[in-house]
Amino acid sequence: MQARMTNPAFVLPDGMKGIAAIFKAINAGGISQELQEIVGLRASQINGCSACVYAHNANLVKAGTSTERIAAVAAWREAPFFDDAERAALALAEAVTRLADRSGEAVDDVLWDQVADHYDEKQVAALIMLIGVTNMFNRLNASIKEPTGTAWT
């Protein structure tokens, strides 16, 4: 499959500058690169972005994450490979990614308290920004039919 066009972030250079600034902020937020990749992988799985799923998986493999742990991201609630902090981040990723599926608050107080129990304000900000930018990448890549193996997330 060939992309319909060059990724919009590259077509509009100021867009790429903004994205780079967002990632700089996320990286300064104090959450590990592995957690960033796991959260990005889960949001990308939900959105069906094969290019991003592939990229997050490749990044996790390159970082030495076990194949069992990577494979279990889709079933994190039942899998033994995630601690309570990671589970809170994954639940947040799902809630924020599935905004259209909600019947109540996007992030209810119970989930918010779980996240806040494990992460400080900077880390929560980084998680929320990461989830938002991942969802943006998923939508860019789906729109242009970005081929698997070429995403730059």
Side-chain angles (χ1 to χ4, degrees):
M1 178 171 62
Q2 186 174 8
R4 290 177 168 149
M5 66 177 283
T6 302
N7 194 293
F10 291 117
V11 172
L12 303 171
D14 286 340
M16 192 60 200
K17 289 177 191 173
I19 292 166
I22 291 170
F23 274 113
K24 183 178 178 183
I26 291 167
N27 289 329
I31 57 174
S32 72
Q33 189 62 42
E34 184 179 33
L35 182 60
Q36 290 181 42
E37 296 294 342
I38 288 170
V39 166
L41 175 58
R42 185 63 192 126
S44 298
Q45 289 170 337
I46 292 166
N47 288 323
C49 180
S50 66
C52 290
V53 167
Y54 178 88
H56 290 297
N57 185 73
N59 291 342
L60 285 162
V61 168
K62 186 189 291 186
T65 303
S66 73
T67 55
E68 295 84 5
R69 184 168 156 85
I70 296 167
V73 168
W76 62 268
R77 283 180 180 81
E78 294 80 23
F81 306 107
F82 306 98
D83 63 26
D84 289 343
E86 292 165 330
R87 290 176 188 283
L90 287 163
L92 182 64
E94 288 188 0
V96 174
T97 299
R98 291 187 161 133
L99 290 177
D101 298 338
R102 64 192 170 123
S103 59
E105 294 179 286
V107 178
D108 64 31
D109 291 338
V110 172
L111 175 54
W112 186 262
D113 290 344
Q114 290 171 348
V115 172
D117 284 346
H118 298 285
Y119 302 100
D120 65 27
E121 188 173 38
K122 276 180 66 174
Q123 292 169 320
V124 174
L127 281 168
I128 292 169
M129 290 183 71
L130 172 67
I131 296 162
V133 78
T134 300
N135 278 279
M136 180 194 72
F137 279 125
N138 295 162
R139 283 149 180 80
L140 291 174
N141 290 334
S143 297
I144 66 167
K145 294 186 174 183
E146 185 78 48
T148 300
T150 62
W152 45 276
T153 60

